[in-house]
Structure formats: structure tokens, C-alpha cells
């Protein structure tokens, strides 16, 4: 049997002397013995909380003296610390303990456990945090729909740190990689809507080298950024001006709907033709987005739910009602960070009209005027499906403690879709999506493998596209398309 | 715990005598000494804490009576502590409870040397690298097992033992430097 290592021998001695404090423990190995002697003295090490608590008795504000002399800058705080707000601060503290090895050093809670203020030490830094108090402007990323602020954390071993965080439930947003600026770094998102940039310095890079590295990186990445993104999931062959995900609103009376969209939302019609099934096929611009409208009396309608981001929700809502829509909800400020209203149009499509409190691109880079909103039964399975089938990436989610997904955003190609678990009588409202992909055949195969049902295998169309139709397990129809010749 | 000079200490005391809110600095300077002094005589942690708190409360209440005669402030605190421990022992005997466990008093000078050394050791724990400091605190102040610490910090038991080893090694070296 192998000799026990010095480290184990030491721990044996420590364990024994902690168990029997009255006994003086001795070991023979002199290297270990000197450490055991230290350990023996440490048996009397005071509790840190005791020391701090007693200290507060003697702090200025508790001394009832007329003139209080207090250091204006307490010693145990960095000058700048983030103050983070959580929809469940207690769960967040548990998470950071597990994921980041955080140490809780302060917590003030209401009787029901709601945390009014808490402090954590993380890797030598400090974060301050609380639960949500909307009346005091304290709202969490779950409520607002993301956080524009990211935390940066220096760590000694970035790979090990990230691995542990992921094991505790964090998600990798950007993989840990060597960066041209001398760091090894990556990004993770935690289950509470915050993103953490994790870095470890590997070499010091001079400003000149940094600029050179930046130029090279720009050359390699940004100048062909759109290619890169599409290679992950979808199109680089899509025609200019179109996006990966486009809603295909199928209704019985498309001409009337087009009129409505023009009046209510200022849509402009790009073209109108006869579709493959004999109905109308039209494409319209609304804001920076494209909407396809099609259908006929003999074709089954597939109304759609759309999150319509507009500059002035009250104005758009008024125009929609004047154009014949039914009000579902009058404009009002929403706790999740937008002023929103709801209407149902003459064809049963639901429009969640919204003006966000921050610029749209700060919420998600590719969020656009028209964002399709899915209401699947089983939101998690739906996210899994679009991830597996189309290479979607979850950008954020807002879920209850039980895991009920109230709202989520998923990136597909250059587009963002939104979803929330079905819970309204008018939901799930399955819909149709026109999706430009790089390789129809490959994407079709992948979608079917992920659980999609084939409605039409890949076929060349006489209007120039190669396309395939897949129905997902939630009854949404995805028209996968790529131009026949690039 | 940074060591301060005799004249700095004198200024601190005079400041605290005029303005009790300055007492916090004297507390910070002397906490580990008083705690180590009491802990050497009283084994029970809760009692050590009560007595330590009592010593500082007494010191604050009687600070106006303290006269600077060239002896360190700590000596005055040790006197208060010694009296408090004796009072506690007498009270316990009267109540018929257990005696406060007294640790044999060797020669006073040697004893105080030990206390000072231990206070330096406790102070040195604060200066350890963060992960070592936490392991030492959890292991010795909170008396947690290696397994519990590993779970709490999300690391392997081997890693915790390693940190314990490095932490003790660093503490030994830091004490040696003094």
C-alpha cells in the first residue's frame, strides 16, 4: 500500500485534534509536525461573524455620541460594486455559492424570506443584491427581459471556473477561448438573466499589439460576420433584405388583412402574386421587417401572434382599433419593461404592440419590429425543438420557480423569436413560418430527426426556391427555403 | 491586524476618550489579542465570545479612567479579561454549575508571549489568499469536515485538503517572518 501523502497525514492529524480538542496531538514527521502545531493553535480561531457583529457595537452610528467619526468609505467594499436585483434572491445566493464559490457575508430578509439586502464575496470582489422592489425601481432581468449590464470577473483558472458554473446551471454564451488581447475568456449566463464575462490573463499585450490583433480579428470575424452566424444555423444564401425567420400569416381573406396592415401598422406591400395553392401570396414591409400574407377561402387559416415593437404604442394601438381591430388590452406600462397593448385583427391574428423602455437592439441585437410570438404547450420542449432542428440559441428566459416559462427569446439565424407557455384560451395559436436556410435538404433532415413531421420533402419550386415543409410537434408549420441558385 | 507604534496607540486612546466612536479602532487593534487571551483560559467557544464581548464593553465604559503610564493598552484589556474570567468562575461555582475550565497558568510573561503569537496567527489568517483563508476559517473556526467544506465550496475533497495544507504552510511561514 502506498504511503499516505503529507497532505493526507496532515489532515488525519487535524481531524483528530478537532475531534478531541483536549488532547495535544503529536506526529513524527517533522514537516507535518510544524503544521499540526499551527493547526492546534487555530482551534481557537474566532468566528468571523462574531468579530464583525461585536465590531458593529462599537461602530460610530451605534455609539450615541453627538459627533460621530466614521470612515466615509468602509474598508470592506470595493469603490464600485454591482447592485443586482433578482426575481428570487435567495435562490440566486444559493446558485452563486455553488457556481462561483461565493461567500454570503450579509443578509437582511423580511419575515417571509424576501431579501431586502444581501452581500456576497465572489473571488475577492463584492456584489450587493436584493429581491425585486418595483416601487423603488428595483426590477430583475426576468421582469425587464434581460440586463444590459454584464459582470466581468477575473479568475485564476477560467476553464475550471466555467465548468463548475455550468455544472451548477449556468449556460455558456461564448466559449472559453484564448483572445487576441492576451486573455483567455468567455461568457456565461446565469439562470437569473445576468451575463458574466470570465477572464484570466495569460500575457500582457502592448497597445500597439492590441490594435494589430484587433485589426486581424476584425478582418477574420466581423467582415464575414453574417456568414458565420448563418453557418451555425441557417441562411447565407438568402436574398438581400430578407431575414431568416419571417411570419407567414395564412388567412381566409388575405386582401382584407393587407388593407388592415397598411392602415393600422403602416405596412407597405412589396408584391402580390398567386401562391402555389391558388391563393394570394404577398410580401409586406412593416418597420424593418418582412411579413408574408397568404391564403384563400379554401385554405386553412393559420393566424399568428406577433410582438410588434413600435415607436409609439398608443398611436399604433389607436390606428389598429380605427382600422377594425378588437382591443385585447389597452396600452399600459408593463412590469417587464415595456408599454404594451394588445389587439386582435379581423382575421384572428393577435398583435402584442409594444414600445420598449430601452432601444430594441439593447434587448437583443436582432430583435425587430415584427417578432413572431409562439405559445406552445410545453415551452421547454419547443425550445429544445428549435434548438435541435434549426440550431436556435436561447437568449433569455423568464420562468417561475416551478419552471413555467413565461417568456423566452430564441435566436435563429439572424432573427429572434419569442415564446411563452400557452395559458390563454386563445392559445396555443400554431402558426406558419417562412425560413431561409443555407441547405434545405440538410435542415429538413435535421428538423425531421428532431421530431418534426414532413409535410413536403425538399422540392425545387418553379418560382426559384428549393423548399420543404415541416410541421413541428406543436403544429407550427415551417416553410424551409433556399434559392435554387445562389 | 497591523502593528501600531506606542505613540499611535496613545493617540488612538486619547481620541477614543474624547469621542467614543473612535473606540472601534482600538477594538480592531486588540480584538485578536483579547480573544486569544480568553480562549487560552476558557475552552468553550460561546463563553469565550461572551467574555470577549464583555471585556470590550467594560473597556469602553471605563475608558475615561484609563491613564497612560507607558504600559500597552493590551495589558489593561488583559487585566479586565482576567477579572471577568475569575468573576465568571465564581458565579458558576455559586450556581453549582461546572467550573469554567481553566487552563493552567504558566509564568505570566511566557503566557502573554503565547497570546501575542496567537493573535498574530489569527490576524495572519486574514492575509491568506482567499480560497485558503476560507478553508482555514471553515475548518477551524466553524469546525467543518473536509467533506462539508468540499460541498460548500464546490470542490473536491483532495483540493480542500491541499488548500488546508497550503494555508497552514503559509501561516507557519508568516509567523516565522515576525
Amino acid at each position: 500500500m502506498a504511503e499516505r501523502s503529507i497532505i493526507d497525514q496532515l489532515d488525519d492529524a487535524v481531524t483528530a485534534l478537532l475531534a478531541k480538542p483536549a488532547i495535544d496531538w503529536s506526529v513524527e514527521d517533522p514537516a507535518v509536525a510544524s503544521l499540526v502545531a499551527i493547526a492546534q493553535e487555530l482551534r481557537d480561531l474566532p468566528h468571523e461573524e462574531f468579530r464583525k457583529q461585536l465590531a458593529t457595537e462599537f461602530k460610530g452610528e451605534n455609539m450615541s455620541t453627538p459627533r460621530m467619526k466614521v470612515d466615509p468609505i468602509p474598508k470592506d467594499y470595493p469603490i464600485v460594486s454591482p447592485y443586482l436585483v433578482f426575481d428570487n434572491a435567495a435562490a440566486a445566493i444559493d446558485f452563486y455559492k455553488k457556481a462561483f464559490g461565493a461567500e454570503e457575508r450579509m443578509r437582511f430578509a423580511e419575515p417571509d424570506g424576501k431579501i431586502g439586502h444581501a452581500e456576497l464575496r465572489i473571488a475577492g470582489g463584492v456584489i450587493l443584491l436584493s429581491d425585486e422592489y418595483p416601487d423603488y425601481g428595483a426590477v430583475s432581468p426576468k421582469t425587464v427581459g434581460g440586463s444590459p449590464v454584464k459582470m466581468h470577473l477575473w479568475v485564476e483558472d477560467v476553464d475550471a471556473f466555467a465548468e463548475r458554473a455550468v455544472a451548477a446551471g449556468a449556460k455558456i454564451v461564448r466559449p472559453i477561448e484564448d483572445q487576441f488581447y492576451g486573455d483567455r475568456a468567455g461568457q456565461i449566463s446565469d439562470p437569473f438573466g445576468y451575463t458574466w464575462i470570465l477572464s484570466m490573463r495569460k500575457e500582457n499585450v502592448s497597445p500597439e499589439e492590441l490594435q494589430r490583433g484587433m485589426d486581424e480579428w476584425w478582418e477574420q470575424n466581423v467582415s464575414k460576420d453574417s456568414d458565420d452566424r448563418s453557418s451555425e444555423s441557417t441562411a447565407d444564401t438568402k436574398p438581400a433584405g430578407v431575414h431568416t425567420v419571417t411570419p407567414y400569416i395564412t388567412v381566409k381573406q388575405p386582401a382584407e388583412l393587407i388593407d388592415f396592415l397598411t392602415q393600422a401598422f403602416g405596412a407597405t406591400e412589396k408584391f402580390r402574386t398567386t401562391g402555389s395553392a391558388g391563393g394570394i401570396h404577398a410580401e409586406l414591409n412593416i418597420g424593418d421587417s418582412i411579413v408574408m400574407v397568404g391564403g384563400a377561402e379554401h385554405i386553412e387559416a393559420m393566424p399568428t401572434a406577433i410582438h410588434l415593437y413600435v415607436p409609439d404604442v398608443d398611436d399604433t394601438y389607436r390606428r389598429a382599433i380605427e382600422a377594425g381591430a378588437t382591443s385585447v388590452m389597452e396600452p399600459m406600462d408593463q412590469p417587464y419593461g415595456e408599454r404594451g397593448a394588445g389587439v386582435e385583427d379581423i382575421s384572428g391574428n393577435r398583435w402584442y404592440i409594444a414600445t420598449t423602455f430601452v432601444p430594441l437592439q439593447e434587448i437583443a441585437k436582432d430583435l425587430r419590429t415584427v417578432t413572431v410570438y409562439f405559445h406552445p404547450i410545453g415551452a421547454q420542449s419547443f425550445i429544445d425543438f428549435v434548438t435541435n432542428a434549426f440550431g436556435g440559441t436561447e437568449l433569455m428566459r423568464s420562468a417561475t420557480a416551478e419552471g413555467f416559462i413565461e417568456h423566452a427569446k430564441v435566436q435563429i439565424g439572424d432573427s429572434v423569436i419569442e415564446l411563452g407557455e400557452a395559458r390563454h384560451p386563445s392559445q396555443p395559436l400554431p402558426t406558419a413560418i417562412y425560413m431561409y436556410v443555407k441547405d434545405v435538404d440538410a435542415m429538413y433532415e435535421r428538423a425531421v430527426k428532431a421530431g418534426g413531421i414532413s409535410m413536403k420533402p425538399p422540392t425545387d419550386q418553379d418560382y426559384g426556391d428549393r423548399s420543404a415543409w415541416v410541421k413541428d410537434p406543436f403544429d407550427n408549420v415551417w416553410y424551409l427555403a433556399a434559392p435554387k441558385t445562389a | 491586524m497591523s502593528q501600531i507604534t506606542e505613540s499611535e496607540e496613545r493617540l488612538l486612546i486619547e481620541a477614543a476618550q474624547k469621542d467614543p466612536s473612535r473606540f472601534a479602532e482600538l477594538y480592531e487593534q486588540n480584538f485578536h489579542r483579547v480573544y486569544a487571551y480568553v480562549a487560552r483560559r476558557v475552552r468553550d467557544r460561546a463563553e469565550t465570545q461572551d467574555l470577549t464581548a464583555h471585556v470590550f464593553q467594560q473597556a469602553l465604559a471605563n475608558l475615561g479612567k484609563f491613564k497612560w503610564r507607558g504600559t500597552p493598552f493590551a495589558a489593561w484589556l488583559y487585566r479586565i479579561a482576567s477579572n471577568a474570567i475569575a468573576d465568571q468562575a465564581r458565579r458558576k461555582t455559586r450556581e453549582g454549575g461546572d467550573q469554567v475550565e481553566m487552563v493552567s497558568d504558566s509564568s505570566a510573561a511566557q503566557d502573554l508571549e503565547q497570546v501575542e503569537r496567537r493573535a498574530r496567527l489569527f490576524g495572519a489568517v486574514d492575509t491568506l489568499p482567499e480560497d485558503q483563508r476560507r478553508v482555514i476559517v471553515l475548518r477551524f473556526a466553524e469546525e467543518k469536515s473536509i467533506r462539508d467544506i468540499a460541498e460548500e465550496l464546490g470542490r473536491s475533497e483532495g483540493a480542500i485538503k491541499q488548500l488546508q495544507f497550503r494555508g497552514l504552510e503559509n501561516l507557519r511561514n508568516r509567523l516565522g517572518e515576525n
Side-chain angles (χ1 to χ4, degrees):
Chain A
M1 201 176 104
E3 188 98 339
R4 281 178 76 69
S5 74
I6 286 190
I7 289 171
D8 283 329
Q9 283 180 45
L10 173 65
D11 187 59
D12 291 345
V14 168
T15 304
L17 69 86
L18 286 174
K20 293 200 177 77
I23 291 175
D24 279 347
W25 186 265
S26 63
V27 276
E28 282 176 20
D29 186 331
V32 179
S34 65
L35 297 181
V36 174
I38 297 283
Q40 226 153 3
E41 296 193 64
L42 284 172
R43 286 181 310 187
D44 289 337
L45 185 65
H47 275 157
E48 291 186 324
E49 292 94 281
F50 166 68
R51 178 177 155 200
K52 282 184 197 148
Q53 207 184 328
L54 185 55
T56 59
E57 270 190 45
F58 306 120
K59 287 274 159 62
E61 62 265 34
N62 301 322
M63 301 290 295
S64 65
T65 57
R67 202 166 46 83
M68 296 188 294
K69 173 74 177 71
V70 180
D71 190 344
I73 300 168
K75 295 206 170 23
D76 40 1
Y77 293 85
I79 297 295
V80 179
S81 321
Y83 203 115
L84 306 185
V85 179
F86 296 95
D87 56 325
N88 183 346
I93 291 172
D94 288 345
F95 170 81
Y96 292 132
K97 282 182 182 170
K98 263 206 209 104
F100 296 171
E103 182 185 0
E104 178 178 341
R105 68 174 195 185
M106 195 185 286
R107 177 193 297 223
F108 299 111
E110 294 180 15
D112 66 354
K114 186 176 181 188
I115 293 177
H117 177 79
E119 300 185 6
L120 298 179
R121 279 172 71 120
I122 295 179
V126 171
I127 67 166
L128 317 176
L129 63 104
S130 78
D131 267 307
E132 293 193 308
Y133 288 87
D135 292 350
Y136 296 90
V139 288
S140 76
K142 293 289 176 61
T143 296
V144 183
S147 165
V149 179
K150 297 177 182 193
M151 255 61 65
H152 182 278
L153 205 56
W154 288 111
V155 295
E156 284 193 9
D157 181 344
V158 69
D159 296 273
F161 195 95
E163 196 178 311
R164 179 178 167 186
V166 167
K171 286 206 164 68
I172 297 277
V173 179
R174 285 184 166 279
I176 309 296
E177 285 170 347
D178 289 340
Q179 309 291 340
F180 69 83
Y181 44 86
D183 296 347
R184 184 165 174 79
Q187 288 186 26
I188 58 171
S189 66
D190 66 35
F192 304 93
Y194 288 107
T195 304
W196 299 78
I197 305 167
L198 309 176
S199 298
M200 114 197 209
R201 173 104 344 142
K202 291 188 76 180
E203 52 176 332
N204 288 316
V205 179
S206 72
E208 298 78 41
E209 287 173 299
L210 211 54
Q211 184 59 53
R212 212 159 40 238
M214 179 80 202
D215 294 344
E216 280 169 25
W217 182 85
W218 188 266
E219 195 57 40
Q220 284 166 16
N221 292 279
V222 179
S223 58
K224 56 184 181 78
D225 188 37
S226 54
D227 295 5
D228 272 12
R229 261 187 310 183
S230 58
S231 69
E232 260 177 27
S233 59
T234 47
D236 63 352
T237 51
K238 63 186 162 55
V242 308
H243 304 126
T244 308
V245 172
T246 304
Y248 199 111
I249 306 176
T250 314
V251 297
K252 298 276 184 196
Q253 293 161 323
E256 282 82 340
L257 180 64
I258 292 167
D259 287 345
F260 168 79
L261 295 178
T262 309
Q263 280 176 45
F265 305 137
T268 51
E269 192 174 336
K270 281 177 21 185
F271 73 89
R272 189 187 293 211
T273 179
T274 303
S276 54
I280 281 181
H281 171 85
E283 294 184 22
L284 295 88
N285 280 116
I286 301 179
D288 62 2
S289 307
I290 299 160
V291 170
M292 294 181 182
V293 173
E297 275 302 338
H298 68 278
I299 295 170
E300 197 195 338
M302 292 199 84
T304 302
I306 301 277
H307 207 159
L308 189 74
Y309 291 104
V310 298
D312 184 346
V313 56
D314 296 74
D315 182 54
T316 305
Y317 171 82
R318 183 183 50 76
R319 280 165 45 197
I321 299 295
E322 282 173 8
T326 313
S327 175
V328 176
M329 184 181 71
E330 288 188 13
M332 58 193 288
D333 288 354
Q334 302 296 338
Y336 43 84
E338 63 185 35
R339 183 168 174 80
V343 300
E344 190 173 300
D345 69 26
I346 46 174
S347 305
N349 301 296
R350 296 178 82 87
W351 301 83
Y352 310 135
I353 308 166
T355 300
T356 52
F357 299 156
V358 296
L360 217 49
Q361 276 68 35
E362 285 183 17
I363 297 172
K365 185 161 69 68
D366 291 317
L367 203 55
R368 279 186 281 269
T369 306
V370 172
T371 302
V372 184
Y373 208 110
F374 294 87
H375 289 290
I377 297 172
Q380 181 60 59
S381 320
F382 178 81
I383 293 173
D384 292 343
F385 175 80
V386 293
T387 305
N388 295 331
F390 308 132
T393 312
E394 186 179 330
L395 298 179
M396 61 76 61
R397 74 164 61 187
S398 166
T400 64
E402 298 77 40
F404 181 94
I405 297 174
E406 293 172 316
H407 177 76
K409 288 186 172 66
V410 177
Q411 177 100 28
I412 302 179
D414 71 357
S415 303
V416 174
I417 61 165
E418 297 179 322
L419 65 124
E421 186 75 46
R423 56 176 162 176
H424 187 274
S426 70
Q427 296 161 0
L429 207 66
T431 190
I433 299 299
Y434 196 90
M435 190 154 88
Y436 280 104
V437 301
K438 195 174 183 177
D439 180 337
V440 170
D441 297 67
M443 191 62 84
Y444 166 83
E445 202 178 307
R446 196 173 156 180
V448 169
K449 202 176 278 174
I453 299 154
S454 170
M455 293 180 72
K456 194 169 81 176
T459 318
D460 286 338
Q461 303 291 338
D462 51 15
Y463 52 87
D465 283 359
R466 182 168 176 78
S467 72
W469 302 1
V470 175
K471 187 185 261 190
D472 70 25
F474 312 86
D475 286 333
N476 302 294
V477 176
W478 301 77
Y479 302 114
L480 310 176
K484 251 190 304 203
T485 49
Chain B
M1 185 178 54
S2 56
Q3 297 291 330
I4 58 169
T5 65
E6 199 179 287
S7 56
E8 282 167 340
E9 184 171 84
R10 187 172 183 176
L11 287 174
L12 270 183
I13 294 165
E14 284 168 2
Q17 284 175 328
K18 286 195 201 100
D19 174 1
S21 71
R22 299 291 298 275
F23 185 73
E25 292 160 62
L26 286 170
Y27 167 82
E28 290 298 341
Q29 284 295 329
N30 291 286
F31 172 81
H32 282 134
R33 286 198 185 95
V34 171
Y35 191 94
Y37 182 93
V38 175
R40 262 178 77 76
R41 288 160 176 77
V42 180
R43 280 292 185 221
D44 180 73
R45 194 179 281 276
E47 260 175 54
T48 301
Q49 293 187 353
D50 287 348
L51 283 164
T52 302
H54 179 76
V55 169
F56 282 105
Q57 285 151 358
Q58 286 291 306
L60 175 63
N62 294 294
L63 194 61
K65 296 181 201 157
F66 179 81
K67 295 272 186 308
W68 181 264
R69 290 199 190 88
T71 47
F73 187 64
W76 188 61
L77 294 173
Y78 293 149
R79 175 96 55 74
I80 298 175
S82 170
N83 289 339
I85 292 165
D87 282 351
Q88 173 98 330
R90 275 196 293 276
R91 204 161 42 245
K92 285 213 158 182
T93 318
R94 262 205 311 277
E95 285 165 6
D98 293 339
Q99 281 245 350
V100 174
E101 238 185 289
M102 301 287 285
V103 178
S104 64
D105 239 335
S106 47
S107 83
Q110 203 186 349
D111 177 59
L112 287 186
E113 215 170 275
Q114 280 294 325
V115 168
E116 289 287 334
R117 173 189 151 89
R118 201 157 291 183
R120 278 209 313 278
L121 173 65
F122 297 164
V125 171
D126 286 344
T127 69
L128 286 176
E130 181 59 17
D131 46 2
Q132 293 176 16
R133 185 190 69 83
R134 289 199 64 193
V135 169
I136 294 294
V137 166
L138 290 170
R139 187 78 165 123
F140 293 99
E142 304 191 13
E143 292 172 45
K144 289 194 169 161
S145 69
I146 292 289
R147 177 183 299 178
D148 287 349
I149 299 171
E151 197 165 306
E152 182 167 338
L153 302 186
R155 306 180 68 153
S156 70
E157 294 186 24
I160 300 298
K161 284 186 193 174
Q162 178 106 345
L163 286 168
Q164 170 178 263
F165 182 82
R166 299 277 167 244
L168 290 172
E169 227 177 20
N170 274 329
L171 289 171
R172 181 189 60 195
N173 296 342
R174 273 165 217 204
L175 275 191
E177 282 162 14
N178 270 295

